Amino acid sequence: MLYFDFMNNFIYLTQSLLSKKTLFLSYSLAKTNFKLRNEGSYLGILWYLLNPLSLFITILFVKQTAFDHVEIPMYPIYLLVGLVMLSYLNRVVSLSTDVIRSNSSFIKSIHIPTEVLVVSSVLHVCMLHVFEVFLILCLALFMNVSLFQMGLYLLATIAFTLFLFGLAFIFATIGVYVSDIGNIWSVVSQLIFFVTPIFYALNPSNSLYTFNLYNPLYYFVTFSRDMLIKGTTSAWTIQMILMSCVASLLIGLAVFGRYRRRFAEWL
């Protein structure tokens, strides 16, 4: 019985997400939120780039002064890719944790599929991420990275976005029942910044390397860096990327599909 309930919810939600109505509503909401967030701002979209850029400049300076003996090929690209991907992850999760609660009156007054709110939040962050990707491509062009490798990096970005879609549905569901999930995530995101090799390289003999073998973000960051810097990656990394995408989407849709009908009761 539980299996059939899961399959029905999964099929319904998948069909809803692929429908023109859901895609149009999600895009319209994302576009509206994007415009409202930047309305009245002098710097506009530049505000979203300040965080990764400031961290990039700071860490690059520290690396050149205190850790100049550590050699990482194309370190500026290595660093910026890690920072931008972590920023992308943080924005998607932070926005999705509150997307249902913050629209509770909207959900109760207007009959609109709740999945539209989740998809629109991810699309909103995607619109912002385009500017970060452009920043990385400009740096790659400056460092003479081939157009072919840039194209491979864009494929890696698409794979990471699919993973984040599944993650958004998971955290959107948790956010309905756990009001403090946003505060919890802010602490967890800081830990992720240090345990994931964002600004340093892992040593296989280190216990931190063993931990990252179970960290999906590590594989996506490695995949993106490999595509941009080397143009190739290991079969194991590709396998883990595919498994992470499938697992994230399946779990996300299953969890959201199972509990979405109860959201109104908790809001």
Side-chain angles (χ1 to χ4, degrees), residues 4 18 25-26 30 34 37 59 110 116-117 128 155 159 164 170 186 188 205 222 259 263:
F4 288 111
L18 295 177
L25 284 174
S26 299
F34 180 81
R37 290 287 180 102
I59 295 174
I110 304 175
V116 168
L117 298 174
L128 301 174
L155 291 177
L164 292 180
I170 295 172
S186 65
V188 173
S205 62
T222 300
Y259 293 100
F263 288 167

Side-chain angles (χ1 to χ4, degrees), residues 150-249:
M150 292 184 193
L152 292 176
Y153 165 70
L154 293 178
L155 291 177
T157 302
I158 293 172
F160 190 49
T161 301
L162 291 175
F163 171 78
L164 292 180
F165 263 106
L167 215 59
F169 279 106
I170 295 172
F171 278 91
T173 305
I174 297 174
V176 174
Y177 300 98
V178 183
S179 58
D180 289 330
I181 188 63
N183 296 324
I184 296 172
W185 175 253
S186 65
V187 175
V188 173
S189 64
Q190 293 181 39
L191 296 176
I192 292 175
F193 174 74
F194 288 103
V195 300
T196 306
I198 301 297
F199 58 91
Y200 60 88
L202 282 178
N203 186 341
S205 62
N206 196 297
S207 58
L208 201 58
Y209 177 80
T210 305
F211 171 82
N212 275 284
L213 292 177
Y214 304 94
N215 178 9
L217 180 61
Y218 166 69
Y219 292 103
F220 283 103
V221 170
T222 300
F223 185 56
S224 299
R225 285 168 172 165
D226 285 348
M227 293 296 98
L228 195 56
I229 296 173
K230 298 187 296 185
T232 184
T233 191
S234 66
W236 171 251
T237 300
I238 295 175
Q239 181 181 345
M240 293 305 296
I241 290 296
L242 294 175
M243 288 177 60
S244 297
C245 285
V246 172
S248 175
L249 288 170

